[in-house]
Amino acid sequence: MLHPTDLKELRDAVLDSSGTLGIAGAGTAADWAGPLGPVDAVLDTTGLAGIVVHNPGDMTVAVRAGTPLRQLQEELAPHHQRVSLDAARVAEGATVGGLVATGDAGPCGLAFGSMRDLVIGVTLVLADGTVARSGGHVIKNVAGYDLAKLLHGSYGTLAVIAEVVLRLHPVPEREATLAVSCSLTEAAELARAVLAGPHEAVALEWLGTTPDAGTLLVRLNGTAAAMDARLDRLRPVLPGAVDGDDRWAEHAAIVRGGPGDAVLRIGVRPSKLPGVLTALPARAITAGLGTGIATVVLDAQDVAAAHETVAAAGGTSVLRRRPAGASVSAWGPPPSALKVLRAVKQSLDPAGRLGPGRFDPWM
Amino acid sequence: MPLDGAARRAFEAVLDPQDVLSDPVRCRVYECDGLTGHRVVPELVLLPRTAEQVAAAVRVCAEHEVPFVARGAGTGLSGGALPVADGVVIGLNRLNRILEVDPVDRRAVVEPGVTNLDVTRAVAQYGLYYAPDPSSQQVCTIGGNVAENSGGAHCLKYGFTTNHVLAVEVVLPDGSTVTLGSDTGEQQGPDLRGLFLGSEGTLGIVTKVTVRLLRTPETVRTLLADFPSVAAAGEVVSDVVAAGIVPAAVEMMDALAIEAAEEAVHAGYTIGTPAALVVELDGPAEECGSTFEQVRRICEAHGCTRLHIAGSAEERAAIWRGRKAAFAAVGRISPDYFVQDGVVPRTRLAETLDRIAAMSRSAGLRVANVFHAGDGNLHPLVLYDGAAGETARAEELTSAIAELCVEMGGSLSGEHGIGTDKACSMPKMFSRDDLAVMARVRDAWDPQGICNPGKVLPTPRLCGEPGKYRPHPLEEAGVIERL
Ligand SMILES: Cc1cc2nc3c(=O)[nH]c(=O)nc-3n(C[C@H](O)[C@H](O)[C@H](O)COP(=O)(O)OP(=O)(O)OC[C@H]3O[C@@H](n4cnc5c(N)ncnc54)[C@H](O)[C@@H]3O)c2cc1C
């Protein structure tokens, strides 16, 4: 186990070791995607922690990759600023670098996108010890290739993320959620009505254990002064809605899954979501009816067929929890750009040192 | 090496021969983009009509090692679409169909030659719009926007092209076609879509784009405020942001830019005021009204000398007409001008503008400023007279301003791209290793080096041998460390 505490130690750790390397942050997504193959060493990033520089007036922060996002949020809170990302595993200590490497996002992705929409700069270390940066410290910047995007979703296979620069948003004065009991199909209709109106929901998620019965959660962000009036205008669109502020923990619990569960994150056109989800033998579902991104809890043996179902609907899927010991396919049919992915891997990590197995069987 | 006959015949075999231009007079139309100081007449111009023809043409390029440059409307301001000697230009204007509008899933699928504004026009009937709004939106193409990751006045709140493109179909430099991104924008594995966005035509040619559409905001409130100094206007911007307000747009113009714009379009700006701010808020009615009031108070607290609130859609349009006309209008007060596009942290705006003013004085050239104040993206317009032999001096001042932005902790370019124009300044912002890694990524996509070569990354041919290493300004400030 290698445990660097600054950029120099990180580079030296990569240079001084030989053979294959696994990269580990807080370990909250260790059982996502393909299983890490046997490696000669594991590089633990959690020693690379803390804020490098926070510029409140510019609403940017540079942070070492092993910093838990939860901790970063606490440090930003006194400035009424935040990283607008509410992925379920943040509460468990997920690191900023890990969240980028897994391309994670939570319900408010509807308004703020995923980590790739928030990262404005990155420092990375390649398998040959090269240290490189792209982007910068300003929110608007098109100089050079955006390598942070390349690392988003790379699962530790292309480079070690050492540092990221993030754009921040103001913490809204008030967040409020309305909850309505309804089936998935009903929820899709309601979501359509919400989106067609002027409500500007920041999250629009249905959750349930079967498509027939569940809850639609609609979250608004805004000023304290206007929120009550906005909620009053939203209620008629969501007949029977009650206060749902405390329902998000249930949502996060489904996304995380439990022992023995296989969890799949899928994405299809929003209007196809009810159909696709109904066709899957899911034990629990969260469905982002505005984004088209959903999570399903399945039995391990149903995962392969689920990948196929999603692919047939033109969607994407990735395994986000593998039951211990089970052999479950992490990825579905390969994307058309697989050869680009392989070429990039070959160019940045020709010896195949980093993250073997994570994209198994694609590369 | 000039194009050989075999390559020419191969192009004519895969395209309709009339879509292959070789007459130098007709090819001259393609000799430059918006950076008109750089010109190269291409050997051939190819005007395919379908994505299949684009792929076939690129396959011919790969087979014969012919460099190619994609071109949309040619409004780029960094020489990205500048032809390459002995190469071909592939014009995408004829791929201009809107393939699908889906008001339910709020997206459109378009060909790359569709103009930015035509996307919004096609979806407006559903109460939707395409958010990124470069000032050139009436003519620039979505393909060009994807290549440049273009921004616009409203990207402070809504983000850039990359935040609104879910998927792109791309012809790779070997002529094969792939899709990057997906129906949700999610990518299985690394975000190749995101890497491609803003790659300035160096990784492939876009043949189809799926864009996300937004619902037209319920309320839009716009004000135009005059200030006694650029610094006072800058403080307003800081205070608005500090209050937790995210305006849809915050634009600033200085006296010279106002004078030019006002004379050109008579939009109701005050000639002689040292600075003017355009602030726009949008959102749900309940919220927009009170927040707008807050912005108005902040303006007044900083000595605003005139505050005009748009009372109608026409008045709002007039304010924007003034702002958007500024670039072209500068042409009325100066025979020639360069547009700069550096970015500085918002908190260093006033300081940067002071420095630019001093540089302008010592160069003896006027600089007009019109810019996206909310995100620190400057657009200094360096005015000069080419006929009076001022070109070299103006070019020098322009580069110096871009490099000043880097020194302030910012970037060489906020939205216009590096292209040919700023490739040689890249070592001011990035180390040799940074650039080498970018070059490795580029090689992975384009091993033959035929896709818009010579753009973005500095080359010895273009820039001379790299000089001795100088520490990056952020390194000196202790923000980044170089090992
Ligand atoms: C008056 C004026 C105002 C402007 N205002 C703004 C603004 O507010 N914000 C902003 O961001 N920009 C602005 N621009 C710059 C310019 O309009 C944008 O960069 C625009 O995106 C370029 O689009 P285009 O179709 O003209 O592309 P071109 O100039 O033809 O090409 C630009 C680059 O894109 C590549 N390219 C073009 N099409 C494709 C394709 N299909 N596939 C791959 N690569 C391709 C080219 O090779 C080139 O590198 C302005 C320009 C002018 C003249």
Side-chain angles (χ1 to χ4, degrees), chain A residues 57-58 116-117 128 132-133 140-142 145 149-150 152-153 195-197 230 233 265 269 271 317 336 339 347, chain B residues 100 102 105 163 174 176 179 185-186 188-191 202 215 218 286-287 346-347 372 377 411 413 415 434 440 481:
Chain A
D58 297 315
R116 69 181 183 203
D117 298 292
D128 62 8
R133 283 166 224 284
K140 196 172 182 187
N141 178 5
V142 296
Y145 294 141
K149 297 283 195 299
L150 188 58
H152 184 269
L195 290 169
R230 288 179 62 193
R233 200 139 62 114
R265 177 175 167 104
R269 268 192 189 212
S271 57
S317 52
S336 63
K339 68 172 180 180
S347 159
Chain B
E100 186 191 343
D102 179 346
D105 284 331
N163 306 110
D174 68 1
S176 62
T179 298
E186 290 257 306
Q188 314 188 77
D191 184 19
T202 63
R215 184 189 184 277
E218 179 181 38
E286 300 89 345
E287 195 158 306
R346 186 170 41 217
T347 45
H372 310 299
N377 185 193
S411 169
S413 175
E415 54 184 19
D434 302 343
R440 278 161 80 169
E481 53 184 321

Short mmCIF file of all heavy atoms in Angstrom, two decimals, chain A residues 57-58 116-117 128 132-133 140-142 145 149-150 152-153 195-197 230 233 265 269 271 317 336 339 347, chain B residues 100 102 105 163 174 176 179 185-186 188-191 202 215 218 286-287 346-347 372 377 411 413 415 434 440 481:
data_model
loop_
_atom_site.label_atom_id
_atom_site.label_comp_id
_atom_site.label_asym_id
_atom_site.label_seq_id
_atom_site.Cartn_x
_atom_site.Cartn_y
_atom_site.Cartn_z
N GLY A 57 -14.54 34.84 -3.65
CA GLY A 57 -15.06 35.85 -4.56
C GLY A 57 -15.19 35.33 -5.99
O GLY A 57 -16.01 35.80 -6.76
N ASP A 58 -14.37 34.36 -6.33
CA ASP A 58 -14.42 33.78 -7.67
C ASP A 58 -15.26 32.52 -7.70
O ASP A 58 -15.50 31.94 -8.75
CB ASP A 58 -13.01 33.48 -8.17
CG ASP A 58 -12.19 34.74 -8.30
OD1 ASP A 58 -12.72 35.71 -8.85
OD2 ASP A 58 -11.04 34.76 -7.83
N ARG A 116 -18.29 16.24 -14.00
CA ARG A 116 -17.58 16.81 -15.15
C ARG A 116 -18.03 18.25 -15.44
O ARG A 116 -17.31 19.02 -16.06
CB ARG A 116 -17.80 15.95 -16.39
CG ARG A 116 -19.22 15.99 -16.90
CD ARG A 116 -19.39 15.10 -18.10
NE ARG A 116 -20.75 15.22 -18.60
CZ ARG A 116 -21.35 14.31 -19.31
NH1 ARG A 116 -20.73 13.18 -19.60
NH2 ARG A 116 -22.56 14.49 -19.75
N ASP A 117 -19.25 18.58 -15.03
CA ASP A 117 -19.74 19.93 -15.26
C ASP A 117 -19.23 20.90 -14.20
O ASP A 117 -19.43 22.10 -14.31
CB ASP A 117 -21.27 19.92 -15.28
CG ASP A 117 -21.81 19.06 -16.40
OD1 ASP A 117 -21.63 19.45 -17.56
OD2 ASP A 117 -22.37 17.98 -16.12
N ASP A 128 3.78 6.76 -16.08
CA ASP A 128 5.23 6.91 -16.23
C ASP A 128 5.78 8.05 -15.37
O ASP A 128 6.92 8.48 -15.54
CB ASP A 128 5.60 7.12 -17.70
CG ASP A 128 4.99 8.41 -18.27
OD1 ASP A 128 4.42 9.21 -17.49
OD2 ASP A 128 5.08 8.61 -19.50
N ALA A 132 0.97 16.38 -15.10
CA ALA A 132 0.42 17.35 -16.06
C ALA A 132 -0.85 17.97 -15.52
O ALA A 132 -1.53 17.41 -14.67
CB ALA A 132 0.16 16.67 -17.40
N ARG A 133 -1.13 19.16 -16.03
CA ARG A 133 -2.34 19.89 -15.66
C ARG A 133 -3.13 20.23 -16.89
O ARG A 133 -2.55 20.46 -17.96
CB ARG A 133 -1.96 21.24 -15.04
CG ARG A 133 -1.49 21.20 -13.65
CD ARG A 133 -0.82 22.53 -13.29
NE ARG A 133 0.40 22.26 -12.57
CZ ARG A 133 0.42 21.88 -11.30
NH1 ARG A 133 -0.70 21.79 -10.62
NH2 ARG A 133 1.54 21.59 -10.71
N LYS A 140 -14.44 29.87 -16.89
CA LYS A 140 -14.59 29.87 -18.34
C LYS A 140 -13.20 29.77 -18.94
O LYS A 140 -12.36 30.62 -18.68
CB LYS A 140 -15.25 31.18 -18.74
CG LYS A 140 -15.80 31.17 -20.14
CD LYS A 140 -16.60 32.42 -20.35
CE LYS A 140 -17.21 32.42 -21.73
NZ LYS A 140 -17.86 33.71 -21.98
N ASN A 141 -12.97 28.74 -19.73
CA ASN A 141 -11.60 28.48 -20.17
C ASN A 141 -11.63 27.41 -21.25
O ASN A 141 -12.11 26.31 -21.01
CB ASN A 141 -10.81 27.98 -18.95
CG ASN A 141 -9.38 27.63 -19.27
OD1 ASN A 141 -8.90 27.83 -20.37
ND2 ASN A 141 -8.70 27.09 -18.29
N VAL A 142 -11.16 27.75 -22.43
CA VAL A 142 -11.14 26.74 -23.49
C VAL A 142 -9.72 26.49 -23.99
O VAL A 142 -9.53 25.94 -25.08
CB VAL A 142 -12.05 27.12 -24.68
CG1 VAL A 142 -13.50 27.18 -24.26
CG2 VAL A 142 -11.63 28.44 -25.32
N TYR A 145 -6.72 20.94 -24.38
CA TYR A 145 -7.69 19.86 -24.19
C TYR A 145 -8.12 19.79 -22.72
O TYR A 145 -7.32 20.04 -21.82
CB TYR A 145 -7.09 18.51 -24.58
CG TYR A 145 -6.77 18.40 -26.05
CD1 TYR A 145 -5.61 17.74 -26.47
CD2 TYR A 145 -7.62 18.92 -27.02
CE1 TYR A 145 -5.30 17.63 -27.82
CE2 TYR A 145 -7.31 18.81 -28.36
CZ TYR A 145 -6.16 18.17 -28.77
OH TYR A 145 -5.86 18.06 -30.10
N LYS A 149 -12.13 15.98 -18.29
CA LYS A 149 -13.26 15.23 -18.87
C LYS A 149 -12.82 13.79 -19.16
O LYS A 149 -13.57 12.85 -18.95
CB LYS A 149 -13.73 15.89 -20.16
CG LYS A 149 -14.26 17.29 -20.00
CD LYS A 149 -15.67 17.30 -19.43
CE LYS A 149 -16.37 18.64 -19.60
NZ LYS A 149 -15.71 19.76 -18.96
N LEU A 150 -11.59 13.67 -19.63
CA LEU A 150 -11.10 12.33 -19.97
C LEU A 150 -11.00 11.46 -18.72
O LEU A 150 -11.20 10.25 -18.78
CB LEU A 150 -9.73 12.49 -20.64
CG LEU A 150 -9.08 11.25 -21.24
CD1 LEU A 150 -9.99 10.64 -22.28
CD2 LEU A 150 -7.75 11.61 -21.86
N HIS A 152 -12.93 11.79 -16.12
CA HIS A 152 -14.27 11.60 -15.58
C HIS A 152 -14.81 10.26 -16.08
O HIS A 152 -14.99 10.06 -17.28
CB HIS A 152 -15.17 12.74 -16.07
CG HIS A 152 -16.56 12.72 -15.51
ND1 HIS A 152 -17.60 12.07 -16.13
CD2 HIS A 152 -17.08 13.27 -14.39
CE1 HIS A 152 -18.71 12.23 -15.42
NE2 HIS A 152 -18.41 12.96 -14.36
N GLY A 153 -15.01 9.34 -15.18
CA GLY A 153 -15.48 8.01 -15.58
C GLY A 153 -14.36 7.07 -15.99
O GLY A 153 -14.62 6.01 -16.55
N LEU A 195 -42.00 19.80 -15.56
CA LEU A 195 -40.99 20.33 -16.47
C LEU A 195 -41.59 21.31 -17.47
O LEU A 195 -40.90 22.22 -17.95
CB LEU A 195 -40.30 19.18 -17.22
CG LEU A 195 -39.39 18.30 -16.35
CD1 LEU A 195 -38.99 17.05 -17.11
CD2 LEU A 195 -38.15 19.07 -15.91
N ALA A 196 -42.88 21.12 -17.78
CA ALA A 196 -43.51 22.02 -18.74
C ALA A 196 -43.84 23.36 -18.10
O ALA A 196 -44.09 24.34 -18.79
CB ALA A 196 -44.77 21.38 -19.30
N GLY A 197 -43.86 23.42 -16.78
CA GLY A 197 -44.19 24.66 -16.08
C GLY A 197 -42.94 25.44 -15.72
O GLY A 197 -41.83 25.03 -16.02
N ARG A 230 -43.63 29.68 -4.46
CA ARG A 230 -43.30 28.71 -5.52
C ARG A 230 -43.91 27.35 -5.21
O ARG A 230 -44.41 26.67 -6.10
CB ARG A 230 -41.78 28.61 -5.69
CG ARG A 230 -41.18 29.85 -6.34
CD ARG A 230 -39.67 29.73 -6.48
NE ARG A 230 -39.27 28.62 -7.33
CZ ARG A 230 -38.04 28.15 -7.42
NH1 ARG A 230 -37.07 28.70 -6.69
NH2 ARG A 230 -37.75 27.14 -8.22
N ARG A 233 -47.51 27.24 -5.96
CA ARG A 233 -47.80 27.11 -7.39
C ARG A 233 -47.53 25.69 -7.89
O ARG A 233 -48.12 25.23 -8.85
CB ARG A 233 -46.96 28.12 -8.17
CG ARG A 233 -47.51 28.39 -9.54
CD ARG A 233 -47.43 29.85 -9.92
NE ARG A 233 -46.07 30.34 -9.97
CZ ARG A 233 -45.48 30.74 -11.12
NH1 ARG A 233 -46.11 30.62 -12.26
NH2 ARG A 233 -44.27 31.22 -11.09
N ARG A 265 -26.53 1.35 -12.65
CA ARG A 265 -26.94 2.71 -13.02
C ARG A 265 -27.19 2.68 -14.51
O ARG A 265 -26.35 2.20 -15.28
CB ARG A 265 -25.84 3.71 -12.70
CG ARG A 265 -26.15 5.15 -13.12
CD ARG A 265 -25.03 6.02 -12.63
NE ARG A 265 -24.99 7.35 -13.17
CZ ARG A 265 -25.38 8.44 -12.50
NH1 ARG A 265 -25.87 8.33 -11.29
NH2 ARG A 265 -25.25 9.64 -13.03
N ARG A 269 -33.27 7.77 -22.79
CA ARG A 269 -34.11 8.95 -22.97
C ARG A 269 -35.17 8.96 -21.89
O ARG A 269 -35.80 7.93 -21.64
CB ARG A 269 -34.82 8.86 -24.31
CG ARG A 269 -34.07 9.51 -25.40
CD ARG A 269 -34.98 9.64 -26.61
NE ARG A 269 -34.14 10.08 -27.70
CZ ARG A 269 -34.56 10.87 -28.69
NH1 ARG A 269 -35.81 11.26 -28.76
NH2 ARG A 269 -33.73 11.24 -29.63
N SER A 271 -38.24 9.69 -21.64
CA SER A 271 -39.57 9.13 -21.92
C SER A 271 -39.54 7.61 -22.04
O SER A 271 -40.57 6.96 -21.93
CB SER A 271 -40.14 9.74 -23.21
OG SER A 271 -39.24 9.50 -24.27
N SER A 317 -25.29 1.64 -19.40
CA SER A 317 -25.44 0.99 -18.10
C SER A 317 -24.07 0.67 -17.53
O SER A 317 -23.13 0.41 -18.27
CB SER A 317 -26.25 -0.30 -18.25
OG SER A 317 -25.70 -1.13 -19.25
N SER A 336 -19.48 2.41 -29.54
CA SER A 336 -18.81 2.47 -30.85
C SER A 336 -17.42 3.09 -30.72
O SER A 336 -16.54 2.83 -31.53
CB SER A 336 -19.66 3.28 -31.83
OG SER A 336 -19.79 4.63 -31.38
N LYS A 339 -12.63 1.85 -29.70
CA LYS A 339 -11.24 1.89 -30.21
C LYS A 339 -10.54 3.19 -29.83
O LYS A 339 -9.32 3.21 -29.66
CB LYS A 339 -11.21 1.64 -31.71
CG LYS A 339 -11.80 2.73 -32.53
CD LYS A 339 -11.51 2.45 -34.00
CE LYS A 339 -12.11 3.55 -34.84
NZ LYS A 339 -11.88 3.37 -36.25
N SER A 347 -1.91 5.15 -25.31
CA SER A 347 -1.03 6.31 -25.38
C SER A 347 -0.63 6.83 -23.99
O SER A 347 0.50 7.25 -23.79
CB SER A 347 -1.74 7.39 -26.20
OG SER A 347 -1.21 8.64 -25.92
N GLU B 100 -34.29 16.05 -35.88
CA GLU B 100 -35.34 15.67 -34.94
C GLU B 100 -35.50 16.75 -33.89
O GLU B 100 -34.52 17.31 -33.41
CB GLU B 100 -34.92 14.36 -34.23
CG GLU B 100 -36.00 13.80 -33.35
CD GLU B 100 -35.51 12.65 -32.45
OE1 GLU B 100 -34.43 12.09 -32.72
OE2 GLU B 100 -36.20 12.36 -31.46
N ASP B 102 -37.54 16.91 -30.24
CA ASP B 102 -38.34 16.12 -29.32
C ASP B 102 -38.72 16.99 -28.13
O ASP B 102 -37.94 17.15 -27.18
CB ASP B 102 -37.53 14.90 -28.87
CG ASP B 102 -38.31 14.03 -27.88
OD1 ASP B 102 -39.33 14.49 -27.35
OD2 ASP B 102 -37.87 12.89 -27.64
N ASP B 105 -38.80 15.04 -24.52
CA ASP B 105 -37.51 14.80 -23.88
C ASP B 105 -36.59 16.02 -24.02
O ASP B 105 -35.41 15.96 -23.64
CB ASP B 105 -36.84 13.55 -24.46
CG ASP B 105 -37.49 12.28 -23.91
OD1 ASP B 105 -38.01 12.34 -22.78
OD2 ASP B 105 -37.49 11.26 -24.60
N ASN B 163 -21.98 21.82 -21.73
CA ASN B 163 -23.03 21.49 -20.77
C ASN B 163 -24.38 21.25 -21.46
O ASN B 163 -25.36 20.93 -20.78
CB ASN B 163 -23.18 22.62 -19.74
CG ASN B 163 -21.85 22.96 -19.07
OD1 ASN B 163 -21.29 24.02 -19.31
ND2 ASN B 163 -21.32 22.04 -18.29
N ASP B 174 -9.42 8.60 -39.18
CA ASP B 174 -9.22 7.47 -40.09
C ASP B 174 -10.46 7.21 -40.95
O ASP B 174 -10.51 6.24 -41.71
CB ASP B 174 -8.84 6.20 -39.31
CG ASP B 174 -9.97 5.67 -38.43
OD1 ASP B 174 -11.08 6.28 -38.44
OD2 ASP B 174 -9.78 4.66 -37.75
N SER B 176 -13.54 6.50 -39.89
CA SER B 176 -14.60 5.71 -39.28
C SER B 176 -15.50 6.63 -38.45
O SER B 176 -15.11 7.72 -38.05
CB SER B 176 -14.01 4.60 -38.41
OG SER B 176 -13.26 5.15 -37.36
N THR B 179 -19.96 7.36 -32.07
CA THR B 179 -20.81 8.27 -31.31
C THR B 179 -20.16 8.47 -29.95
O THR B 179 -19.75 7.51 -29.30
CB THR B 179 -22.22 7.67 -31.13
OG1 THR B 179 -22.81 7.52 -32.42
CG2 THR B 179 -23.10 8.59 -30.29
N GLY B 185 -26.30 11.91 -22.11
CA GLY B 185 -25.02 12.57 -21.91
C GLY B 185 -24.06 11.69 -21.12
O GLY B 185 -22.85 11.96 -21.08
N GLU B 186 -24.56 10.63 -20.49
CA GLU B 186 -23.69 9.72 -19.74
C GLU B 186 -22.80 8.99 -20.74
O GLU B 186 -23.21 8.66 -21.84
CB GLU B 186 -24.52 8.65 -19.02
CG GLU B 186 -25.33 9.18 -17.88
CD GLU B 186 -24.72 8.87 -16.52
OE1 GLU B 186 -24.44 7.70 -16.22
OE2 GLU B 186 -24.54 9.82 -15.75
N GLN B 188 -20.21 5.60 -20.97
CA GLN B 188 -19.72 4.43 -20.26
C GLN B 188 -18.21 4.50 -20.32
O GLN B 188 -17.62 4.24 -21.34
CB GLN B 188 -20.25 3.16 -20.91
CG GLN B 188 -21.72 3.27 -21.20
CD GLN B 188 -22.33 1.98 -21.68
OE1 GLN B 188 -22.59 1.08 -20.89
NE2 GLN B 188 -22.54 1.88 -22.96
N GLY B 189 -17.62 4.87 -19.21
CA GLY B 189 -16.18 5.08 -19.21
C GLY B 189 -15.85 6.56 -19.37
O GLY B 189 -16.71 7.41 -19.16
N PRO B 190 -14.59 6.85 -19.72
CA PRO B 190 -14.15 8.24 -19.80
C PRO B 190 -15.05 9.10 -20.69
O PRO B 190 -15.58 8.61 -21.68
CB PRO B 190 -12.74 8.11 -20.39
CG PRO B 190 -12.27 6.76 -19.98
CD PRO B 190 -13.50 5.89 -20.00
N ASP B 191 -15.17 10.35 -20.32
CA ASP B 191 -16.07 11.26 -21.05
C ASP B 191 -15.40 11.76 -22.33
O ASP B 191 -14.94 12.89 -22.42
CB ASP B 191 -16.44 12.43 -20.12
CG ASP B 191 -17.45 13.37 -20.76
OD1 ASP B 191 -18.13 12.95 -21.72
OD2 ASP B 191 -17.54 14.53 -20.31
N THR B 202 -9.54 19.26 -34.03
CA THR B 202 -8.29 18.52 -34.15
C THR B 202 -8.46 17.02 -33.88
O THR B 202 -7.49 16.27 -34.02
CB THR B 202 -7.23 19.04 -33.15
OG1 THR B 202 -7.71 18.83 -31.82
CG2 THR B 202 -6.94 20.51 -33.37
N ARG B 215 -36.42 25.01 -21.09
CA ARG B 215 -37.69 25.71 -21.16
C ARG B 215 -37.42 27.21 -21.08
O ARG B 215 -36.60 27.65 -20.27
CB ARG B 215 -38.54 25.28 -19.95
CG ARG B 215 -39.92 25.86 -19.97
CD ARG B 215 -40.62 25.57 -18.65
NE ARG B 215 -41.99 26.05 -18.71
CZ ARG B 215 -42.33 27.32 -18.49
NH1 ARG B 215 -41.42 28.22 -18.21
NH2 ARG B 215 -43.60 27.67 -18.56
N GLU B 218 -39.72 31.79 -17.30
CA GLU B 218 -41.00 32.47 -17.16
C GLU B 218 -40.83 33.99 -17.17
O GLU B 218 -41.58 34.72 -17.80
CB GLU B 218 -41.64 32.04 -15.84
CG GLU B 218 -42.96 32.70 -15.59
CD GLU B 218 -43.55 32.27 -14.26
OE1 GLU B 218 -42.80 32.09 -13.27
OE2 GLU B 218 -44.76 32.11 -14.20
N GLU B 286 -41.92 34.69 -8.92
CA GLU B 286 -41.89 35.06 -7.50
C GLU B 286 -40.48 35.47 -7.07
O GLU B 286 -40.29 36.32 -6.22
CB GLU B 286 -42.30 33.88 -6.60
CG GLU B 286 -43.70 33.33 -6.84
CD GLU B 286 -43.70 32.24 -7.88
OE1 GLU B 286 -42.69 32.10 -8.62
OE2 GLU B 286 -44.72 31.53 -7.96
N GLU B 287 -39.50 34.76 -7.67
CA GLU B 287 -38.15 34.93 -7.21
C GLU B 287 -37.44 36.05 -7.96
O GLU B 287 -36.70 36.85 -7.39
CB GLU B 287 -37.41 33.62 -7.43
CG GLU B 287 -36.12 33.56 -6.69
CD GLU B 287 -35.66 32.13 -6.48
OE1 GLU B 287 -36.44 31.32 -5.93
OE2 GLU B 287 -34.53 31.85 -6.85
N ARG B 346 -12.68 36.75 -11.55
CA ARG B 346 -13.57 37.91 -11.47
C ARG B 346 -13.04 38.96 -10.48
O ARG B 346 -13.14 40.15 -10.70
CB ARG B 346 -14.94 37.39 -11.03
CG ARG B 346 -16.03 38.37 -11.00
CD ARG B 346 -17.33 37.62 -10.80
NE ARG B 346 -17.19 36.56 -9.82
CZ ARG B 346 -17.80 35.38 -9.90
NH1 ARG B 346 -18.59 35.12 -10.91
NH2 ARG B 346 -17.64 34.48 -8.97
N THR B 347 -12.43 38.48 -9.40
CA THR B 347 -11.95 39.41 -8.37
C THR B 347 -10.78 40.25 -8.85
O THR B 347 -10.38 41.18 -8.16
CB THR B 347 -11.51 38.63 -7.12
OG1 THR B 347 -10.73 37.51 -7.55
CG2 THR B 347 -12.71 38.12 -6.35
N HIS B 372 -17.74 39.71 -20.72
CA HIS B 372 -18.63 38.92 -19.86
C HIS B 372 -18.09 39.07 -18.43
O HIS B 372 -17.25 38.30 -17.98
CB HIS B 372 -18.60 37.46 -20.29
CG HIS B 372 -18.83 37.26 -21.76
ND1 HIS B 372 -20.00 37.65 -22.38
CD2 HIS B 372 -18.07 36.72 -22.74
CE1 HIS B 372 -19.92 37.35 -23.67
NE2 HIS B 372 -18.76 36.79 -23.92
N ASN B 377 -14.47 36.92 -18.33
CA ASN B 377 -14.00 36.72 -19.71
C ASN B 377 -13.95 38.07 -20.43
O ASN B 377 -14.97 38.64 -20.76
CB ASN B 377 -14.94 35.74 -20.43
CG ASN B 377 -14.50 35.36 -21.83
OD1 ASN B 377 -15.28 34.80 -22.58
ND2 ASN B 377 -13.26 35.65 -22.21
N SER B 411 -6.81 32.60 -17.97
CA SER B 411 -6.62 31.75 -19.14
C SER B 411 -6.44 32.58 -20.40
O SER B 411 -6.92 33.72 -20.49
CB SER B 411 -7.83 30.84 -19.32
OG SER B 411 -7.79 30.18 -20.57
N SER B 413 -7.82 31.92 -23.17
CA SER B 413 -9.05 32.00 -23.96
C SER B 413 -10.25 31.50 -23.18
O SER B 413 -10.21 30.43 -22.58
CB SER B 413 -8.91 31.21 -25.25
OG SER B 413 -10.14 31.19 -25.95
N GLU B 415 -13.48 31.54 -24.76
CA GLU B 415 -14.46 30.94 -25.66
C GLU B 415 -14.04 30.95 -27.13
O GLU B 415 -14.62 30.22 -27.91
CB GLU B 415 -15.83 31.63 -25.51
CG GLU B 415 -15.76 33.15 -25.67
CD GLU B 415 -17.11 33.84 -25.42
OE1 GLU B 415 -17.98 33.23 -24.80
OE2 GLU B 415 -17.26 35.00 -25.87
N ASP B 434 2.63 19.35 -19.57
CA ASP B 434 1.18 19.50 -19.80
C ASP B 434 0.89 19.36 -21.29
O ASP B 434 -0.02 18.64 -21.71
CB ASP B 434 0.68 20.89 -19.37
CG ASP B 434 0.94 21.21 -17.90
OD1 ASP B 434 1.21 20.27 -17.13
OD2 ASP B 434 0.87 22.40 -17.53
N ARG B 440 -0.04 13.66 -26.61
CA ARG B 440 -0.22 12.20 -26.61
C ARG B 440 -1.69 11.84 -26.83
O ARG B 440 -2.02 10.89 -27.55
CB ARG B 440 0.27 11.61 -25.28
CG ARG B 440 1.78 11.41 -25.24
CD ARG B 440 2.31 11.27 -23.84
NE ARG B 440 2.10 9.94 -23.28
CZ ARG B 440 2.68 9.53 -22.13
NH1 ARG B 440 3.47 10.35 -21.45
NH2 ARG B 440 2.46 8.32 -21.68
N GLU B 481 2.36 23.56 -7.84
CA GLU B 481 3.79 23.27 -7.69
C GLU B 481 4.28 22.48 -8.89
O GLU B 481 3.56 21.69 -9.47
CB GLU B 481 4.05 22.49 -6.40
CG GLU B 481 3.21 21.26 -6.27
CD GLU B 481 3.42 20.54 -4.94
OE1 GLU B 481 4.56 20.48 -4.47
OE2 GLU B 481 2.44 20.02 -4.40
#
